[in-house]
Amino acid sequence: RELELYVAGNGLSDRVRLHGGYSHSRLPEILSKLDMVVLPSEWEGLPLVLVEAMQRGVPFVATAAGGTAELGQGNPDVTVTGTEWGAFETGMEEMAARLRAGQVDAVRLHGWVEPRYGFEAAAKQWQAALLDSRAFFGLKKC
């Protein structure tokens, strides 16, 4: 509710959409209407919404909380900031400017994420973990 009031109070209702909860089946529709995804978290694991956004060519701005920092390494089409609000705000402004200038490449973004987190990559990792968990996790044999 606080965020809704902030958006309305700052005259941003025509530019900022707050979707709230949604079913997974609506994700492609939602992502197709976005310019960018923002995730200002202080605590995260590896947020799947960011992977799903990249698979659809949608850039993001996120804080370097948890595993999120990994998604920005060598990835020219996303922005990962510190967890301080000022850094995050600057990151959003910079991403908006890059989008307006046509500097974000949806195809390149998809190409970055797919070999790392796509179905084929995930399936190979799961298969390796399930077939030989000791080797996968670097555990010594008894």
Side-chain angles (χ1 to χ4, degrees), residues 24-78:
H24 184 73
S25 64
R26 289 201 50 230
L27 192 58
E29 171 198 348
I30 292 169
L31 289 172
S32 73
K33 297 176 181 178
L34 300 181
D35 294 318
M36 73 173 112
V37 171
V38 296
L39 188 68
S41 296
E42 291 183 359
W43 302 94
E44 279 297 336
L46 181 64
L48 288 180
V49 69
L50 300 182
V51 174
E52 292 165 330
M54 288 187 294
Q55 286 178 321
R56 289 170 176 82
V58 178
F60 68 79
V61 178
T63 55
T68 305
E70 176 182 314
L71 300 175
Q73 295 172 352
N75 189 342
D77 297 303
V78 303

Side-chain angles (χ1 to χ4, degrees), residues 119-133 136:
F119 178 81
E120 292 289 326
K124 286 179 184 177
Q125 292 292 317
W126 274 106
Q127 184 178 30
L130 293 170
L131 293 177
D132 191 352
S133 59
F136 182 81

Side-chain angles (χ1 to χ4, degrees), residues 95-108:
M95 178 59 76
R98 290 174 55 210
L99 283 165
R100 284 191 292 272
Q103 297 172 343
V104 176
D105 185 334
V107 174
R108 180 176 59 205

